[in-house]
Amino acid sequence: MSYQKKAIGDSPVYDARVLGKGRMAVLGLQHMFAMFGATVLVPVLTGLPVSTTLLFAGLGTLLFHLISKRKVPAFLGSSFAFLAGYAAIAPHGEENLLPYACFGVAVAGLMYLVLAALFRAFGANRVMRYFPPIVTGPIIIAIGLNLSKSAVDNCETNWGIALVAIVVIIICNIWGRGMIKIIPIIMGVLASYLVAALTGNVDFAPVAKAAWIGSPVIWKDTVFGLLASGHADRGLLLTSVITILPISFATMMEHIGDISAISSTVGKNFIQDPGLHRTLTGDGLATVVASLFGAPANTTYGENTGVLTLTRVYDPRVIRLAAVYAVLLSFCPKFAAIIEVMPAATMGGISLVLYGMISAVGVRNIVETRVDFTKSRNVIIAALILVLSIGINYSASGAITFKAGALTIGLSGLAVGSLVGILLNAILPGKDYRFQDDEPNDTGVDLQIQQGETLTEVKERVTKSRKLAEERAERQTERDREE
C-alpha cells in the first residue's frame, strides 16, 4: 500500500505511515529524547541500574500498548512519585535494600489492577469519590517536600554546578521554543554536566572501563534474586509494602489525569475506548514487571504528550518505535556509565526543581479542582495528611514502628498520612467530589512537569476545566431532579 507524504504540524496525523519511514524513525527518536532526561534521572537518584530502567521503560510501553489495544499514544517512563518510597527503604541507594523497595513498588503496581477491576464493576464515579483532590493533592505536596532535603544535600557538593542546571531548566521552560521547551530537564543535565566536565569535576574512568555491549539486568539486584537467596527479611518486605503501597493512590490519579490529557490532545476519548480499566491494567502490569526486575515504577509521561502537541502526529506506532530504541540502548553499558558518573551537584540542581514541581502540582491540583476549604472536613483531612506525612518523616525515628510477633514493621510518614486521609474522607460526611468518565476531563492531577504551556494556555486550560465542572454539575442537578 502506498501513502502520500504529508507535512508535519499542518494537520493532525493519525497514521504516521503517510509521512514516510524516514520521518517516522526521526519522530520516534524525538519521543525517546523527550522522555530520556526524566527517565534516567530516577535511577541516578535512587541507585537503580540505568540500563535496566531503559529496558523496562521500553518493554513496559510495548506491554501497555498491547493491553490498551494499541490505541493510546502514551510512553511509559520512570515515575517520580515513588522516589519517596525508595528513599524510605534505601535512603542512600544501598544495593542490599533496593530489592526490598522494588518489592513494595511491585505490590503497589498491583493496586492498579484492583482499581481497574473496580472501574469495570462499579463505574468510575463511585470509585473516584474515595480518592478526591482533597486527599491526592496533599499527598502529592508531601511527596515533594519529603524529598527536598536530599536535593539540597546534593546541591551542597557544588552549588555552582547545581545552579547551572537550575538556570538552564528555567530558561528553557519559560523562554524556550519548540522541542527545547519540551525537554528542559535534559537540557539542564547536559549544560550542568558539561560545565562539571570542563572544570574537572567528573571522573570518566568507569566509562572507559565499561563494555559497549552487555546485559541490562543484574540478577542479584532483582526481587527474584532476593527471594531466591533464602535470606530475605520478611519484616522488611512487609514494611516496604505498607510504606510504598499508599503512594499508588496518588499515581493512579496521575494516570487518570494523563489519559485525560492525552485524550484532549489527540481528540479521541481514550477514557471510554479502550477504557480506563485497560490503561490502568497496562500501566500497573508495566510497573509490576519493571519492579520485579530491579527497575523503577513506570508511569505515563507528560513530556511525550507535549511532543504530541508539538508535532500533531498522534500515531501510537511512533511511540512504539521510541520504545524499541530505548530497549536497544539499554544493552550499552558504556552509555549507562556516562549517566552513572553524573556529578551529585547536577543531580541536586535537577531534583531541586523536580521535587519543588511535584509539591507545586499538588497545590495546583487543589486550586484547579476548587476544593472548598470553608468546610472543616477538608481542612482537617489536608492538615492531618501534611503534618503526619512530613512530621513523621523528619522525626527522630523517621517512621512509626511496631512489632507483630517476630516481625518488625515500620510505617513511613507518607504511608500514615495517606491512609489517615483516605480513611477520614470515607468516614466524614460532606463528600462532594464527582468524577465523570463520559468525556475527557481535567482531574487536576499530573505528577509530570507541565512543559510547553504559556500563561495564556494555562488560563485557557483552567477556564475550560471550570466550565466543564459547571456543566457536569448542572447535568447532575438535572438528573437529581428527574430522580
Side-chain angles (χ1 to χ4, degrees):
M1 185 181 294
S2 61
Y3 297 92
Q4 184 177 359
K5 290 188 177 182
K6 294 178 64 175
I8 297 174
D10 290 347
S11 59
V13 177
Y14 294 95
D15 187 343
R17 288 175 292 185
V18 302
L19 302 173
K21 293 181 180 179
R23 286 196 285 181
M24 274 187 70
V26 172
L27 286 167
L29 284 172
Q30 183 172 243
H31 270 288
M32 189 191 75
F33 192 47
M35 70 84 191
F36 186 80
T39 292
V40 301
L41 185 60
V42 173
V44 171
L45 293 172
T46 58
L48 295 168
V50 172
S51 294
T52 312
T53 300
L54 288 172
L55 175 65
F56 286 96
L59 293 180
T61 299
L62 296 175
L63 177 62
F64 173 86
H65 280 242
L66 177 64
I67 293 173
S68 60
K69 300 160 85 171
R70 297 181 294 178
K71 292 184 176 182
V72 185
F75 192 98
L76 270 59
S78 303
S79 172
F80 287 99
F82 284 100
L83 286 175
Y86 294 112
I89 304 301
H92 304 292
E94 296 88 344
E95 287 187 7
N96 61 316
L97 296 178
L98 281 173
Y100 289 96
C102 289
F103 179 80
V105 174
V107 175
L110 294 176
M111 287 300 297
Y112 285 69
L113 309 188
V114 174
L115 185 64
L118 291 174
F119 273 16
R120 185 72 170 173
F122 302 106
N125 194 35
R126 289 187 180 181
V127 178
M128 289 293 291
R129 65 195 306 248
Y130 294 100
F131 306 100
I134 188 55
V135 173
T136 56
I139 290 174
I140 296 168
I141 294 171
I143 288 173
L145 294 180
N146 278 334
L147 292 166
S148 59
K149 184 178 183 298
S150 65
V152 174
D153 287 343
N154 282 330
C155 287
E156 287 179 340
T157 60
N158 191 318
W159 273 105
I161 292 173
L163 285 172
V164 171
I166 296 170
V167 170
V168 170
I169 289 176
I170 294 173
I171 292 174
C172 291
N173 211 6
I174 302 299
W175 293 286
R177 293 289 182 269
M179 193 64 187
I180 296 298
K181 194 176 184 69
I182 301 295
I183 55 169
I185 295 174
I186 198 167
M187 295 304 295
V189 169
L190 291 173
S192 180
Y193 203 148
L194 179 61
V195 170
L198 293 176
T199 55
N201 287 287
V202 182
D203 179 12
F204 287 106
V207 179
K209 295 178 182 178
W212 282 101
I213 299 176
S215 173
V217 177
I218 305 172
W219 178 256
K220 68 179 181 64
D221 294 337
T222 66
V223 173
F224 298 114
L226 171 66
L227 299 178
S229 68
H231 303 296
D233 184 331
R234 290 183 297 168
L236 188 53
L237 286 172
L238 186 57
T239 293
S240 177
V241 171
I242 297 174
T243 297
I244 296 176
L245 189 144
I247 299 175
S248 66
F249 300 132
T251 58
M252 287 186 290
M253 302 309 104
E254 172 198 1
H255 171 94
I256 294 169
D258 284 344
I259 297 300
S260 295
I262 295 171
S263 295
S264 298
T265 299
V266 175
K268 293 184 177 182
N269 194 339
F270 297 125
I271 291 176
Q272 283 191 342
D273 182 23
L276 282 174
H277 63 287
R278 282 186 174 273
T279 61
L280 277 166
T281 299
D283 199 345
L285 285 178
T287 291
V288 171
V289 174
S291 299
L292 291 176
F293 283 93
N298 283 326
T299 186
T300 44
Y301 252 36
E303 286 88 340
N304 293 88
T305 303
V307 175
L308 293 176
T309 303
L310 180 70
T311 64
R312 304 187 75 187
V313 178
Y314 304 140
D315 190 347
R317 293 183 184 88
V318 176
I319 304 291
R320 292 195 286 272
L321 268 177
V324 171
Y325 293 148
V327 171
L328 294 175
L329 195 57
S330 72
F331 286 87
C332 181
K334 191 173 287 291
F335 173 79
I338 293 174
I339 303 299
E340 289 165 354
V341 299
M342 184 186 303
T346 297
M347 292 186 289
I350 300 297
S351 56
L352 195 72
V353 177
L354 285 174
Y355 299 162
M357 287 296 293
I358 289 174
S359 293
V361 165
V363 174
R364 193 191 74 195
N365 177 17
I366 294 172
V367 172
E368 290 190 359
T369 53
R370 294 188 293 177
V371 172
D372 187 358
F373 277 103
T374 64
K375 292 186 176 181
S376 296
R377 75 178 303 276
N378 290 341
V379 174
I380 290 172
I381 292 171
L384 287 177
I385 290 175
L386 290 171
V387 171
L388 289 171
S389 298
I390 299 170
I392 293 173
N393 183 62
Y394 288 107
S395 65
S397 61
I400 294 178
T401 59
F402 60 93
K403 288 190 175 183
L407 300 178
T408 300
I409 302 172
L411 291 177
S412 69
L414 193 61
V416 175
S418 300
L419 293 173
V420 168
I422 292 168
L423 184 62
L424 283 177
N425 177 69
I427 294 173
L428 297 179
K431 287 187 287 290
D432 59 358
Y433 177 65
R434 294 183 181 276
F435 176 88
Q436 301 293 341
D437 63 349
D438 59 343
E439 60 187 6
N441 61 87
D442 187 353
T443 64
V445 181
D446 184 356
L447 294 189
Q448 302 302 325
I449 289 182
Q450 284 291 312
Q451 299 175 17
E453 284 188 305
T454 64
L455 179 59
T456 301
E457 290 169 338
V458 171
K459 289 180 179 178
E460 290 175 352
R461 178 166 53 79
V462 173
T463 301
K464 180 180 178 182
S465 173
R466 290 176 177 174
K467 184 177 179 180
L468 288 172
E470 290 170 357
E471 290 174 354
R472 288 195 293 271
E474 290 175 1
R475 288 198 299 270
Q476 184 61 41
T477 300
E478 291 176 1
R479 283 194 291 266
D480 291 342
R481 288 174 181 171
E482 292 174 357
E483 293 175 357

